[in-house]
Amino acid sequence: MNATYAAGERGARAAAREGAAAVVVDAFRASTTISVLVSKGARVVPVASIQEAASYAGADYRIGERGSAKVHGFDFGNSPTEIEATELKKGATVVISTTNGTRIVEAAGGAPAILAGTFVNAHAIADELASGAYGVRFAMIGCGWAGRRASEDESAAGAILYRLREKGAKVDERAERVVSLYLTRSKEALRRNSAARRLERLGYEKDLDFCLAENTVPVVPLLEGGAFAGRR
């Protein structure tokens, strides 16, 4: 097994070209929200644009976020705690469009498998990859923010890579650096970064604790037929 780390749309496209299973890592908050939705039995359709989400036929719920704020007229913003506290229709189809995460999912199109991973399901994702079901090449794709690095995505990817390394995967130099950041960068530091401060200003402070908790939502969101659904 070989595991790498890449960032943004360019990294996602490169992973797809190289035939690596891609794990989209958007800790604040798309990967976390998708994991919660999947844990509730939802079918989650990621789309890049708000227009696509608004016009998507057959959606039971619409989740829209731009600049961390809820899109007007949508059922939810990209808040995992809001979703966690809501009783969804059984087997609901949920369409979601976010600032960064769903755009990276689209960029990874063509990869042999696309999963959503972060702190809350780090072990579940790593264990699933290590099972051999998705080949032997994996790429953690940190979504970042508007083309810039995001420390929370690096650390969440590091959590998955650390577990994969324990399972015998070989990680490249960049992935090793991300593992080191995961092991040395405190959760308090992540709570003080620019993304966390933006969420706090918008009233989403509860989401921070939820998004930074490890292995609390042990599901494997796998994109199949254009929608994420749970593998366990």
Side-chain angles (χ1 to χ4, degrees), residues 195-216:
R197 293 195 302 271
R198 182 170 54 249
L199 290 170
E200 285 183 336
R201 286 195 300 271
L202 292 167
Y204 290 117
E205 186 172 359
K206 287 182 179 179
D207 282 352
L208 297 176
D209 289 333
F210 193 98
C211 291
L212 292 171
E214 294 189 33
N215 305 310
T216 53

Side-chain angles (χ1 to χ4, degrees), residues 137-162:
R137 301 180 68 186
F138 319 127
M140 308 304 119
I141 312 297
C143 291
W145 179 269
R148 299 188 297 273
R149 291 170 56 188
S151 57
E152 70 278 6
D153 294 343
E154 290 175 338
S155 289
I160 300 168
L161 287 162
Y162 180 68

Side-chain angles (χ1 to χ4, degrees), residues 79-142:
S79 171
T81 59
E82 186 179 10
I83 299 298
E84 179 69 19
T86 301
E87 186 174 343
L88 301 179
K89 176 181 175 182
K90 185 175 181 181
T93 295
V94 182
V95 63
I96 181 172
S97 181
T98 70
T99 304
N100 301 293
T102 55
R103 181 169 46 83
I104 303 304
V105 171
E106 183 177 86
I114 300 173
L115 303 92
T118 183
F119 288 115
V120 300
N121 63 344
H123 282 189
I125 290 290
D127 293 352
E128 181 78 0
L129 293 174
S131 74
Y134 309 98
V136 295
R137 301 180 68 186
F138 319 127
M140 308 304 119
I141 312 297

